[in-house]
Amino acid sequence: MLRSMYAGVSGMKGFQTKLDVIGNNISNVNTIGYKKSTINFQDLLSQNLSSSGVNPMQVGLGSTTSAINVVHTSGSFMTTGVGTDLAISGDGFFVVQNPEEDGTTNDRYLTRAGNFVVNAEGNLVTSQGYNVLDNNGDKININSTTYDSFTINRLGEVIGKEANGNETTIATIGVAQPENPSGLRKFGGSLYEMTSNADTGGLTIGSPKDLNTEIASGMLEMSNVDLTEEFTEMIIAQRGFQANSRTITTSDEILQEVVNLKR
């Protein structure tokens, strides 16, 4: 009898975690560059009742979470008309660096959120102030005293235009493509940390052209969360939670009947 109660508890915990994942996806439905998460389950150990006969007699002891994966499919593009708003058309991530840390490769992060701006120092930065890096791993600086304006083309080249009409390529937007994007660790603020599970070779920065991808200027990549799918999964999780709670209630009622046999 107690086995069914413990199995019901493990099921309720699993579906509660599933609801947590779904709730986080829905809350980030309008987050720029957000990638949704999915959850998978696996069964726990099974207790052997008997090994005699052709097939073993086993009773399962519940379920547990096996994995929570991030789905790195592309989201829809939204046109903003702002020249510093960038979106990656294809695989890869922008590489940004925290200016307040030690300046090594350990303070570099990946992101798909391309809502960049130019700060007072002329550096291309994220909304949190992180420097956007070029294909050489250096911050991108656009000197306002030298260039009247600048544009970013599909190859990720930042082209500055002088007052006399001359155009100069200032830098090329850096892009990284880890072997296993799902192995990245979420850092917060739409940033990811590089891990050995994502790429054993570490963080490597290249140009969009070398990595067979393109940069869309004046556009932003929105979340890849599908509300229809999330609400469907929410209903499934709710019914699963109710069914497991019913298992506990039924087991408790049967135990109560056993106790009442003595009376």
Side-chain angles (χ1 to χ4, degrees):
M1 196 63 62
L2 293 178
R3 284 194 295 261
S4 62
M5 297 188 73
Y6 292 141
V9 169
S10 67
M12 291 176 67
K13 288 182 178 179
F15 282 111
Q16 179 60 61
T17 304
K18 183 179 181 69
L19 285 172
D20 293 339
V21 173
I22 294 172
N24 185 61
N25 287 340
I26 294 176
S27 67
N28 286 281
V29 67
N30 285 327
T31 301
I32 299 171
Y34 176 80
K35 302 302 177 184
K36 67 180 181 180
S37 297
T38 59
I39 183 172
N40 298 320
F41 299 102
Q42 64 184 11
D43 62 335
L44 288 171
L45 296 174
S46 297
Q47 184 175 359
N48 289 324
L49 301 182
S50 175
S51 298
S52 61
V54 179
N55 300 320
M57 298 174 57
Q58 295 179 305
V59 176
L61 301 178
S63 63
T64 185
T65 301
S66 62
I68 299 178
N69 298 316
V70 179
V71 181
H72 286 277
T73 56
S74 296
S76 59
F77 284 7
M78 178 182 69
T79 302
T80 63
V82 181
T84 55
D85 284 345
L86 306 179
I88 297 178
S89 179
D91 298 330
F93 298 83
F94 298 110
V95 184
V96 300
Q97 187 173 39
N98 188 349
E100 298 180 357
E101 295 188 13
D102 56 11
T104 65
T105 57
N106 296 326
D107 62 357
R108 294 179 178 178
Y109 305 94
L110 306 181
T111 184
R112 290 282 292 195
N115 52 325
F116 304 140
V117 295
V118 178
N119 64 10
E121 299 175 355
N123 297 326
L124 188 65
V125 299
T126 66
S127 57
Q128 302 101 321
Y130 285 57
N131 291 317
V132 180
L133 302 184
D134 62 11
N135 59 327
N136 295 318
D138 301 321
K139 62 183 179 181
I140 300 173
N141 182 269
I142 304 162
N143 194 332
S144 60
T145 60
T146 304
Y147 305 103
D148 284 354
S149 62
F150 70 95
T151 58
I152 301 175
N153 61 20
R154 301 179 66 181
L155 298 178
E157 297 174 341
V158 183
I159 301 175
K161 186 174 183 179
E162 301 177 15
N164 57 10
N166 292 334
E167 294 184 347
T168 305
T169 300
I170 302 172
T172 301
I173 301 292
V175 177
Q177 288 184 354
E179 293 292 334
N180 176 30
S182 297
L184 296 172
R185 182 186 298 112
K186 288 186 177 182
F187 179 74
S190 298
L191 303 178
Y192 296 90
E193 286 182 313
M194 176 62 73
T195 66
S196 58
N197 292 329
D199 199 320
T200 56
L203 178 59
T204 303
I205 308 176
S207 65
K209 181 179 179 181
D210 295 337
L211 299 178
N212 296 321
T213 188
E214 292 182 349
I215 302 296
S217 178
M219 307 182 73
L220 291 175
E221 180 186 4
M222 302 306 294
S223 168
N224 65 349
V225 174
D226 185 348
L227 282 180
T228 303
E229 179 182 347
E230 296 301 323
F231 280 124
T232 303
E233 291 297 322
M234 182 186 296
I235 294 173
I236 295 174
Q238 181 182 6
R239 294 294 179 262
F241 190 91
Q242 291 174 342
N244 280 278
S245 64
R246 183 60 180 171
T247 300
I248 298 175
T249 302
T250 303
S251 299
D252 177 63
E253 292 175 352
I254 296 176
L255 282 176
Q256 185 64 40
E257 291 295 329
V258 173
V259 173
N260 292 337
L261 289 176
K262 186 179 180 181
R263 299 179 181 176

